[in-house]
């Protein structure tokens, strides 16, 4: 369990215990446990078992980051860590690079599972700003899609579940997160919202809300995921972590992607190897790739069983990222190259 050397914190929040029975809607704060929220400016305020990962004390924590245009060029402001008995808001503005790099062993450790919703931009910011290769991630956005497929629902190519949508789903949490929209409005009005210090009550509450339900969601999902889905989740989470972290050595210094386990081979309908492919788009051709109102990229997504991501306003502006089974990725590459060559 997490412990901290800081004095009794002035902030507290409610979290559902991971041992609570799943599949019910958490309608009242009274159903939840009260835990402290620590604002961290020095590494010594963090739990020792987090700072020094070991196989004897393996951890599962909720994880998220807040910042300004969070990506390789943006500013990481807060890193949230949710333990079963405490939440830590790691202040990257006041603690600086020294504090974030003190977390590097934990964020790269196989002994600490980081539960996060959509890890791509968080991983990119950590990699380019602090040299951290985020590893051993349980991405709840990917897990949700796998559970939908596992339960026979039609795969949706363009609609990735939002965190607010996931929280509202009674199968996993059943909480309305109305305050998220309030924070979104503030962020649109002032993109530097997360840079101001001292942290306001709203900032602390919003940062805490983004992680305090993650362990509960994790345990509810783990009850449903089969072995095949768990392998796909491990692979895709690893590839999502790499997605925007382009480097010159083809990720040779990153932890290897999990191989297909022996117990899933030879049973018919074997899992397929999945890869990340990064396709360069020549100057002026991205419009052809995307198409009017996204029609071209949507058509390709519907034709291929692969995930396709565009850097967009956060960049990189000249690349397309494709994740999926090898044959499907190659098919998507061919279709994308065809779009680049088309003449209007």
């Amino acid at each position: 369990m997490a412990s901290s050397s800081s004095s009794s914190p002035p902030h507290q929040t409610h979290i559902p215990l991971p041992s609570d029975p799943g599949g019910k809607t958490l309608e009242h704060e009274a159903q939840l446990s009260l835990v402290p929220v620590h604002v961290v400016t020095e590494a010594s305020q963090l739990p020792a078992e987090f700072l020094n990962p070991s196989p004897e004390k393996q951890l599962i924590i909720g994880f998220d980051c807040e910042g300004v245009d969070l990506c390789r060029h943006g500013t990481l402001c807060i890193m949230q860590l949710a333990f079963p008995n405490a939440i830590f808001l790691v202040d990257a503005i006041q603690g600086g690079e020294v504090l974030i790099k003190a977390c590097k062993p934990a964020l790269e450790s196989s002994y600490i599972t980081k539960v996060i919703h959509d890890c791509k931009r968080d991983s990119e910011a950590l990699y380019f700003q602090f040299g951290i290769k985020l590893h051993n991630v349980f991405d709840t956005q990917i897990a949700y899609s796998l559970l939908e497929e596992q339960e026979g629902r039609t795969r949706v190519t363009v609609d990735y579940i939002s965190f607010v949508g996931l929280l509202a789903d009674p199968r996993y949490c059943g909480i309305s997160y109305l305050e998220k929209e309030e924070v979104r409005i503030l962020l649109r009005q002032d993109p530097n919202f997360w840079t101001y210090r001292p942290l306001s009550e709203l900032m602390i509450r919003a940062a805490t809300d983004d992680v305090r339900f993650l362990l509960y969601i994790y345990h509810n999902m783990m009850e449903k995921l089969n072995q095949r889905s768990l392998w796909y989740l491990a692979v895709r989470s690893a590839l999502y972590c790499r997605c925007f972290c382009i480097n010159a050595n083809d990720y040779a210094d990153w932890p290897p992607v999990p191989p297909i386990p022996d117990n899933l081979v030879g049973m018919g309908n074997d899992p397929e190897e999945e890869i990340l492919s990064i396709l360069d788009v020549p100057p002026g051709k991205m419009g052809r790739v995307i198409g009017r109102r996204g029609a071209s990229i949507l058509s390709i997504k519907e034709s291929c069983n692969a995930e396709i991501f565009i850097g967009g306003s956060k960049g990189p502006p000249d690349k397309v990222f494709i994740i999926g089974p090898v044959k499907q990725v190659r098919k998507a590459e061919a279709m994308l190259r065809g779009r680049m060559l088309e003449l209007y």
Side-chain angles (χ1 to χ4, degrees):
M1 301 292 282
S3 59
S4 169
S5 63
S6 62
S7 58
S8 180
H11 308 285
Q12 294 179 312
T13 192
H14 289 87
I15 64 169
L17 291 173
S19 58
D20 289 346
K24 70 177 182 181
T25 301
L26 298 172
E27 296 176 343
H28 305 290
E29 293 283 287
Q31 293 175 265
L32 313 180
S33 297
L34 191 63
V35 303
V37 178
H38 302 273
V39 177
V40 175
T41 56
E42 297 180 3
S44 61
Q45 296 172 282
L46 288 166
E49 62 267 33
F50 173 79
L51 293 172
N52 303 288
S54 73
E56 290 78 29
K57 291 186 178 180
Q58 300 198 30
L59 303 175
I60 301 167
I61 63 170
F63 180 77
D64 192 28
C65 297
E66 309 293 350
V68 180
D69 286 330
L70 199 61
C71 61
R72 72 188 62 199
H73 303 302
T75 303
L76 191 152
C77 300
I78 300 173
M79 191 168 68
Q80 303 105 292
L81 312 172
F83 290 76
N85 65 337
I87 290 175
F88 296 86
L89 306 182
V90 181
D91 190 343
I93 299 294
Q94 292 197 318
E97 185 175 357
V98 172
L99 175 58
I100 301 302
K101 286 199 169 180
C103 301
K104 177 181 170 76
L107 300 181
E108 295 186 345
S109 176
S110 299
Y111 307 131
I112 300 180
T113 301
K114 279 70 68 173
V115 182
I116 183 174
H117 190 81
D118 191 5
C119 63
K120 295 188 295 296
R121 291 298 184 184
D122 301 64
S123 180
E124 180 187 19
L126 290 167
Y127 181 65
F128 285 103
Q129 296 179 36
F130 303 101
I132 294 171
K133 296 180 281 290
L134 188 61
H135 175 56
N136 195 22
V137 159
F138 181 108
D139 193 309
T140 55
Q141 189 176 72
I142 301 170
Y144 181 90
S145 296
L146 286 166
L147 284 165
E148 292 294 284
E149 292 179 32
Q150 185 178 297
E151 295 172 10
R153 295 180 183 85
T154 304
R155 179 175 179 271
V156 180
T157 57
V158 294
D159 187 20
Y160 303 101
I161 187 75
S162 68
F163 185 55
V164 172
L166 177 61
L167 284 174
D169 192 319
R171 294 171 298 171
Y172 306 114
C173 195
I175 286 285
S176 295
Y177 189 3
L178 301 177
E179 195 172 66
K180 186 73 171 177
E181 185 56 33
E182 178 187 350
V183 174
R184 282 178 178 158
I185 292 170
L186 289 172
L187 283 168
R188 284 194 292 270
Q189 294 172 344
D190 184 358
N192 293 316
F193 173 80
W194 289 112
T195 65
Y196 301 123
R197 297 297 181 271
L199 293 171
S200 68
E201 286 293 331
L202 174 61
M203 295 167 78
I204 290 172
R205 193 162 65 246
T208 301
D209 281 347
D210 278 351
V211 292
R212 67 182 174 125
F213 298 107
L214 284 173
L215 294 183
Y216 184 78
I217 292 169
Y218 165 84
H219 284 275
N220 285 342
M221 287 181 158
M222 285 296 291
E223 289 180 356
K224 301 173 184 289
L225 288 161
N226 61 31
Q227 290 301 309
R228 183 185 180 92
S229 294
L230 283 169
W231 176 74
Y232 276 122
L233 173 60
V235 170
R236 291 178 193 172
S237 292
L239 295 177
Y240 268 47
C241 282
R242 298 180 181 201
C243 185
F244 295 126
C245 300
I246 304 166
N247 64 16
N249 62 5
D250 196 27
Y251 303 100
D253 57 339
W254 283 66
V257 175
I260 300 174
D262 293 339
N263 66 336
L264 296 182
V265 177
M267 301 175 63
N269 192 26
D270 292 353
E272 301 176 69
E273 178 191 359
E274 299 213 342
I275 60 171
L276 164 65
S277 174
I278 302 171
L279 196 63
D280 291 315
V281 179
K285 299 297 177 83
M286 187 60 80
R288 295 186 183 184
V289 168
I290 297 173
R292 185 172 296 176
R293 296 183 179 177
S296 293
I297 197 73
L298 176 59
S299 173
I300 296 170
K301 287 181 178 181
E302 291 175 342
S303 300
C304 306
N305 186 24
E307 308 284 355
I308 303 174
F309 302 104
I310 306 292
S313 60
K314 292 184 178 181
D318 55 351
K319 298 184 188 299
V320 177
F321 303 85
I322 314 165
I323 293 174
V326 176
K327 290 182 180 178
Q328 296 299 318
V329 169
R330 299 304 177 218
K331 180 180 177 182
E333 288 175 341
M335 295 181 73
L336 287 162
R337 289 192 176 101
R339 288 283 193 272
M340 295 176 207
L341 294 172
E342 284 179 2
L343 298 176
Y344 287 7

